[in-house]
């Protein structure tokens, strides 16, 4: 539902309307007027789909003020910000900046405007100042999230951009949500325009993103922050069902002899690999598959017979996974290799982990328990002090889960609370098929980070036929960095075709 606001000289007349929103959220507009000093508010629209938001054109009444504000902001120091969720440049804190136009806007927003907004909403907004400036340039992005944090009630964005089109990217995309309050699809994209203010209510359904900036010639400059007040009640967080795990397939060493580079089947070389792995908790085994087998699978992955399904929801992941029953024969055989009993044993020899019953048992000698704990403490990515065997002394059956994934422009995975809650000791395996010209600046690399910390522990870049093994503990999480526009803007003859593939498996002792 749209509501038009009519301006009469120095007053705005707002008519009382009740607008139902998701989860019984309603926005109450009360008749209210006040003198405008240099703020001239022209409401273009208020809409409750997919969640309550409002667009105010020509928010600042003076073009000269806008120009001076832009100049002051661009003279600030900006810092590169990059993690699983975003990549852009952010200014120094604006809460105490003394530049006249920055200070003037801040005082107006969190003074008179905040008081008016609180009356409009029927909510007591706090005087807390929360404002910063962001520059989004080519390939910068802010992926799907809901803005929910204790105290945030209304989000705002003031755009200070040059003439902008949808083809430039950088739109504010709004998502619908399903019955579990998870984001589904983009139903509205707001194109930035100079001196336009966007407001929206922070709620369990306020999922949005800043789409990737696709222009190399413009800067998406904006001021943004939150008005603080009592948070809306949040429903219980949706918990996804766990990914099914399976024991190995009964396949013998014949499969290894057929597929694996013979150098990795040499026992003495396996011992060297294990020593290196125990020192660092990770290793990359180059030219892992026989060259002819690798080429065969790489070509087959581009066949149209494979059915790919988009994995979501977008606040957690966005990539494509293959339907296993549509795989060409050679791709299916490679999948079986990674799930085979022989391969479980090979991984045990590479890592020292107990992924096969033929591996040494923990009680083989008097010092085995102590040695194993020392190895795990030094080996697990994140170096947790808890040994995985301490939680359960009974021997378990090694299992695994896996996917065949396709990564293209716009693909990513994000860190999320459910992942942190389920984190456990595990061995990650990734076998990429990416083409020789895939570059790290395209994204698509896997980052390992310490839980609830900014510390980056390890980055694994996709490399053709290079088997990556990483052992992580309960305090270590991972994400795949957003694949950006550079991946699809190269030569049409590029061997990457703007995408790459990988087998991704996780093995558990």
């Amino acid at each position: 539902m749209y509501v038009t606001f009519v301006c009469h000289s120095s007053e705005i007349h707002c008519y009382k309307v009740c607008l139902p929103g998701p989860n019984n959220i309603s926005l109450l507009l009360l008749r209210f007027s006040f003198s405008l000093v240099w703020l001239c508010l022209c409401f273009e629209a208020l809409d409750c789909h997919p969640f309550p938001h409002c667009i105010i054109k020509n928010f600042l009444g003076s073009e000269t003020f806008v120009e001076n504000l832009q100049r002051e902001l661009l003279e600030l120091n900006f810092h590169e910000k990059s993690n699983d969720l975003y990549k852009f440049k952010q200014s120094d804190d604006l809460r105490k900046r003394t530049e006249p136009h920055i200070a003037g806007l801040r005082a107006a927003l969190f003074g008179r405007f905040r008081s008016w907004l609180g009356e409009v909403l029927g909510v007591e907004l706090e005087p807390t100042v929360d404002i910063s400036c962001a520059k989004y340039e080519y390939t910068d992005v802010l992926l799907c999230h809901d803005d929910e944090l204790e105290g945030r009630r209304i989000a705002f964005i003031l755009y200070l951009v040059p003439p902008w089109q949808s083809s430039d990217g950088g739109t504010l995309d709004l998502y619908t949500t399903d019955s579990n309050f998870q984001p589904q699809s983009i139903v509205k994209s707001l194109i930035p325009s100079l001196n336009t203010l966007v407001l929206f209510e922070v709620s369990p359904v306020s999922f949005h993103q800043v789409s990737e900036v696709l222009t190399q010639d413009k800067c998406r400059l904006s001021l943004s922050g939150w008005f603080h007040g009592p948070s809306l009640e949040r429903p219980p967080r949706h918990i996804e069902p766990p990914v099914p795990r399976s024991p190995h397939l009964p396949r013998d060493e014949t499969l290894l002899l057929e597929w694996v580079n013979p150098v990795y089947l040499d026992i003495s070389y396996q011992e060297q690999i294990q020593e290196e792995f125990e020192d660092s908790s990770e290793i990359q085994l180059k030219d892992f598959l026989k060259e002819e087998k690798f080429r065969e699978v790489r070509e087959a992955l581009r066949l149209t017979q494979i059915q790919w399904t988009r994995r979501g929801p977008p606040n957690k992941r966005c990539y494509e996974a293959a339907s296993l029953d549509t795989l060409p024969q050679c791709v299916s055989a490679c999948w079986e290799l990674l799930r085979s009993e022989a391969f479980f044993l090979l991984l045990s020899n590479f890592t020292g982990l107990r992924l096969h019953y033929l591996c040494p048992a923990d009680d083989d000698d008097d010092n085995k328990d102590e040695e194993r704990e020392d190895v795990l403490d030094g080996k697990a990515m994140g170096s947790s002090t808890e040994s995985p065997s301490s939680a359960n002394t009974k021997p378990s059956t090694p299992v695994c889960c896996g996917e065949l994934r396709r990564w293209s422009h716009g693909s990513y995975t994000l860190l999320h609370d459910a992942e942190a809650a389920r984190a456990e000791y595990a061995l990650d395996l990734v076998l990429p098929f990416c083409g020789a010209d895939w570059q790290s600046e395209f994204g698509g690399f896997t980052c390992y980070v310490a839980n609830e910390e900014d510390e980056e522990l390890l980055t694994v870049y996709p490399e053709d036929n290079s088997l990556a093994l990483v052992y992580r503990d309960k305090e270590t999480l991972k994400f795949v960095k957003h694949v950006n526009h550079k991946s699809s803007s190269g030569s049409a003859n590029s061997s990457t075709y703007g995408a790459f593939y990988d087998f991704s498996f996780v093995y558990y002792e």
Side-chain angles (χ1 to χ4, degrees), residues 43-64:
F43 280 72
E44 179 186 81
L46 181 93
D47 194 359
C48 277
H49 181 69
F51 51 83
H53 62 278
C54 182
I55 303 167
I56 306 174
K57 294 279 190 179
N58 300 315
F59 181 70
L60 302 176
S62 167
E63 292 184 8
T64 302

Side-chain angles (χ1 to χ4, degrees), residues 160-218:
L160 299 164
V161 295
W164 205 273
Q165 294 81 40
S166 59
S167 58
D168 295 327
T171 54
L172 178 63
D173 298 333
L174 311 184
Y175 287 81
T176 56
T177 50
D178 61 20
S179 58
N180 294 315
F181 300 96
Q182 295 296 288
Q184 285 182 304
S185 59
I186 296 168
V187 293
K188 191 170 187 178
S189 294
L190 306 179
I191 301 171
S193 62
L194 180 64
N195 196 14
T196 293
L197 183 75
V198 174
L199 302 164
F200 64 84
E201 188 172 44
V202 177
S203 75
V205 297
S206 57
F207 285 100
H208 60 284
Q209 71 169 11
V210 176
S211 68
E212 183 183 356
V213 173
L214 305 179
T215 176
Q216 300 186 48
D217 306 320
K218 302 176 187 178

Side-chain angles (χ1 to χ4, degrees), residues 62-236:
S62 167
E63 292 184 8
T64 302
F65 187 96
V66 173
E67 292 171 1
N68 289 330
L69 178 63
Q70 286 176 306
R71 176 181 50 77
E72 289 179 358
L73 292 171
L74 290 172
E75 289 175 354
L76 298 174
N77 292 320
F78 284 82
H79 309 282
E80 194 81 41
K81 308 285 286 186
S82 182
N83 61 13
D84 62 313
L85 185 64
Y86 51 70
K87 183 177 83 74
F88 62 92
K89 294 181 179 67
Q90 190 173 50
S91 72
D92 293 330
D93 195 339
L94 300 184
R95 283 181 292 180
K96 297 182 179 180
R97 299 299 302 191
T98 58
E99 292 84 350
H101 298 85
I102 294 175
L105 176 64
R106 184 182 63 229
L109 277 175
F110 293 96
R112 199 172 281 188
F113 184 79
R114 173 184 59 84
S115 299
W116 172 81
L117 187 62
E119 288 210 42
V120 166
L121 297 173
V123 174
E124 185 175 350
L125 296 177
E126 302 166 3
T128 304
V129 174
D130 199 337
I131 185 171
S132 64
C133 181
K135 287 199 304 186
Y136 287 78
E137 297 171 321
Y138 181 53
T139 73
D140 287 348
V141 69
L142 173 58
L143 298 170
C144 180
H145 64 292
D146 61 10
D147 263 15
E148 277 214 308
L149 200 63
E150 187 65 32
R152 292 178 179 176
R153 185 58 187 264
I154 301 294
F156 69 87
I157 311 103
L158 175 63
Y159 295 112
L160 299 164
V161 295
W164 205 273
Q165 294 81 40
S166 59
S167 58
D168 295 327
T171 54
L172 178 63
D173 298 333
L174 311 184
Y175 287 81
T176 56
T177 50
D178 61 20
S179 58
N180 294 315
F181 300 96
Q182 295 296 288
Q184 285 182 304
S185 59
I186 296 168
V187 293
K188 191 170 187 178
S189 294
L190 306 179
I191 301 171
S193 62
L194 180 64
N195 196 14
T196 293
L197 183 75
V198 174
L199 302 164
F200 64 84
E201 188 172 44
V202 177
S203 75
V205 297
S206 57
F207 285 100
H208 60 284
Q209 71 169 11
V210 176
S211 68
E212 183 183 356
V213 173
L214 305 179
T215 176
Q216 300 186 48
D217 306 320
K218 302 176 187 178
C219 170
R220 183 190 188 275
L221 187 70
S222 64
L223 285 165
S224 60
W226 296 270
F227 295 102
H228 288 247
S231 299
L232 294 170
E233 183 179 353
R234 184 178 186 101

